[in-house]
Amino acid sequence: MSDLYRFKSPYGTANRVMRMLWTVCWALLARPFPKSTLMPWKRCLLRLFGADIAGTANVYASAKIFMPWNLVMKDHACLASGVDCYNAAKVVLGVNATVSQRASLCTASHNISSPRHEQTERPIYIGDMAWVAAEAFVGPGVSVGEGAVVGARAAVFKDVEPWTVVGGNPAKFLKRREIKD
């Protein structure tokens, strides 16, 4: 059995400094402004730190973004209040994709088969018109298909097919999603 205290961080000094600067800037220059107040300013701040953010995307001030340079948000995509976006790898939100209150997007885990327990990263894709509901968890490498819904408090560890609704822990198919006029 190996000692886990020998675990080596996957992040170098430059990455740590950038994340520290990002955290301080967001805390001082974005978090004080609630909800939709100064949304253009928040998008600008994210872009300054490398995020690819459409001019109509919304990021609430209380959302936590680990590495903005790994964030892509298309038109009208939204990270709502309290979202935890742990994006050690790329997170992409499609057009009109919504991640609701206190949901978690987690792109990283650890290699449990290794004595060194190295960090592993895999991207997350949230498709156009998809919705990750309140307090849901989306794990590393998951793609949530176009128009799919991840129900409140669901835990998703596998891809979600387009235009389906999933729920539970682990998430299971509940029904097809149909949009009615």
Side-chain angles (χ1 to χ4, degrees):
M1 183 136 140
S2 177
D3 294 322
L4 291 179
Y5 75 86
R6 289 190 224 159
F7 171 76
K8 184 174 175 352
S9 172
Y11 307 112
T13 302
N15 181 284
R16 290 180 189 163
V17 168
M18 284 302 293
R19 284 189 289 120
M20 181 188 68
L21 287 172
W22 160 248
T23 301
V24 169
C25 284
W26 189 256
L28 295 176
L29 302 174
R31 282 189 72 90
F33 305 107
K35 299 202 178 187
S36 61
T37 308
L38 297 178
M39 198 59 71
W41 166 246
K42 294 170 191 172
R43 286 189 292 263
C44 179
L45 194 57
L46 283 157
R47 286 185 192 113
L48 285 172
F49 280 87
D52 181 1
I53 304 289
T56 55
N58 291 302
V59 179
Y60 284 63
S62 60
K64 292 189 318 186
I65 300 163
F66 185 63
M67 293 184 192
W69 48 91
N70 280 340
L71 180 63
V72 176
M73 293 179 71
K74 305 291 184 180
D75 285 321
H76 304 286
C78 178
L79 291 177
S81 58
V83 167
D84 186 359
C85 181
Y86 184 64
N87 57 337
K90 190 74 76 182
V91 168
V92 178
L93 277 73
V95 175
N96 292 314
T98 299
V99 180
S100 287
Q101 298 84 351
R102 296 174 309 282
S104 295
L105 306 176
C106 181
T107 63
S109 187
H110 292 274
N111 181 354
I112 62 172
S113 299
S114 167
R116 288 178 302 287
H117 208 230
E118 302 91 357
Q119 181 171 304
T120 60
E121 300 101 11
R122 294 174 41 214
I124 291 174
Y125 298 96
I126 310 295
D128 294 351
M129 297 181 286
W131 176 28
V132 177
E135 298 183 356
F137 175 87
V138 179
V142 170
S143 289
V144 177
E146 177 184 16
V149 175
V150 175
R153 294 196 171 186
V156 179
F157 303 101
K158 295 180 181 179
D159 290 352
V160 179
E161 293 296 317
W163 299 101
T164 61
V165 179
V166 299
N169 183 0
K172 293 182 177 20
F173 172 83
L174 298 176
K175 66 180 185 176
R176 302 278 316 153
R177 181 182 183 195
E178 296 178 25
I179 304 292
K180 299 176 182 174
D181 288 330

